[in-house]
Amino acid sequence: MKSSDKIHIELKGGIDLDKTERSGQCFRWIPDGEGFLIPAFGMLARVTESAGGIDLEVISSSKKKTSASDISEIWAKYFDALLDYSKIRNMPDKKDKFLTEAAKTGEGIRIIYQEPFETLITFIISQRKSIPAIKTSVERICETVGRRIPGTDVYDFPTPDELMKLSADELSACGLGYRAPYIHECAENFARGVLDLEYLNTLDDESLINTLMSLKGVGVKVANCTALFGYHRLDLFPIDVWIQRALETHYNGKFPLAKYHPYNGIMQQYIFAYRGKL
DNA sequence: TGCCAGGTATAGG
DNA sequence: CCTATACATGGC
């Protein structure tokens, strides 16, 4: 398992890895010196900021042969490389001081195109949990399933089939509380083919949200986060307690979605990252 | 130590 | 459609 060479990936509009990680969309990045170790797609990648983008090195991969160009393509999609975030962060109406400031402070935040199943499960876990507690539960699940990325001490996120096999007791030991049956049932639905992750991607935003909400434990907020972060539906605007507070304080309860189509989800992320500075 | 956490299901109006 | 309430557990 030898490490690949470093690959440079240009990200239009740049990236700030710390801000992106702290913006509460991904829960498994591991701080590593200047950058992060990121487990995804059966790989463990070491990522650092570099000249308008990132340098990426695949430390280990469970796949037999992945060419450098394939690796580059996979991770470019993950980091949303082609969308120019410098344009998007300048979208806020200058009269909207709050959003303008949030977007300015959020310079470097990108919407990460995560794997849908991991996104769904992590956001089911997220309900009524703090971000540190979410991370703890997610890691415990990965460790309990126990599939290591070869040659590392980092565990892959389970497939639906793997996750379904965890007993109620094993799930409870991950600190899931009342969410344990939600997680089990969700994994079972995908493992047995009642729902299909790729099929969901063919649906339009509204149908996708409605289908996700047919799962027990998935309400409107988790469905929107899954669609935004797991299916890269950038126009969706998940409303959690922090966003709701901002809406009440600055928007009379309703965000001007028409102004920021098709990037409302990115505005939402700037506001979320700006939470606490209301 | 007690409060709160990137909500949801459920019952009732 | 709306509102009120219970909910398991960890982190601070």
Side-chain angles (χ1 to χ4, degrees), chain A residues 10 18 29 48 80 102 120 126 129 152 161 175 181 186 205 215 235 241 248 255 261 263 277:
Chain A
E10 184 193 342
D18 283 314
W29 290 16
T48 52
D80 199 15
L120 175 58
S126 78
K129 266 186 181 299
T152 75
D161 197 54
C186 181
D205 289 359
L215 292 160
D235 204 33
V241 289
E248 283 162 10
F255 191 73
H261 175 79
Y263 299 119
K277 299 183 190 174

Side-chain angles (χ1 to χ4, degrees), chain A residues 13-16 19 89 101-110 270:
Chain A
I15 190 166
D16 184 313
K19 285 188 203 172
R89 64 174 170 266
E101 190 57 29
K104 187 183 169 193
T105 307
E107 177 172 357
I109 293 173
R110 307 182 76 84
Y270 290 144

Side-chain angles (χ1 to χ4, degrees), chain A residues 126-257:
Chain A
S126 78
Q127 54 190 191
R128 299 298 288 177
K129 266 186 181 299
S130 65
I131 289 175
I134 297 164
K135 291 179 177 175
T136 302
S137 279
V138 171
E139 286 317 301
R140 283 198 196 159
I141 288 176
C142 296
E143 289 162 12
T144 304
V145 173
R147 182 161 52 81
R148 279 177 196 268
I149 300 174
T152 75
D153 57 358
V154 180
Y155 294 88
D156 247 325
F157 195 86
T159 63
D161 197 54
E162 290 170 329
L163 187 53
M164 183 186 80
K165 287 173 181 150
L166 289 192
S167 67
D169 285 347
E170 287 171 316
L171 282 172
S172 294
C174 299
L176 297 175
Y178 64 88
R179 307 163 192 78
Y182 298 159
I183 305 291
H184 182 79
E185 202 177 311
C186 181
E188 203 168 42
N189 269 298
F190 285 99
R192 298 195 190 287
V194 177
L195 285 175
D196 182 86
L197 291 162
E198 290 185 27
Y199 168 71
L200 292 183
N201 201 24
T202 68
L203 301 175
D204 61 29
D205 289 359
E206 189 184 355
S207 306
L208 173 58
I209 296 292
N210 288 334
T211 307
L212 288 168
M213 285 177 65
S214 71
L215 292 160
K216 208 172 292 180
V218 179
V220 63
K221 191 273 179 178
V222 170
N224 273 273
C225 283
T226 303
L228 174 57
F229 303 126
Y231 287 97
H232 209 65
R233 304 301 176 92
L234 298 183
D235 204 33
L236 296 176
F237 191 88
I239 299 174
D240 72 325
V241 289
W242 293 101
I243 299 295
Q244 185 59 39
R245 283 171 204 167
L247 293 185
E248 283 162 10
T249 307
H250 298 283
Y251 298 97
N252 206 13
K254 191 163 168 43
F255 191 73
L257 296 170

Side-chain angles (χ1 to χ4, degrees), chain A residues 6-35:
Chain A
K6 273 189 189 173
I7 299 171
H8 181 75
I9 301 176
E10 184 193 342
L11 305 176
K12 290 193 189 303
I15 190 166
D16 184 313
L17 290 170
D18 283 314
K19 285 188 203 172
T20 299
E21 195 276 340
R22 287 199 308 265
S23 74
Q25 45 178 319
C26 44
F27 301 100
R28 297 205 64 210
W29 290 16
I30 304 159
D32 176 63
E34 296 290 295

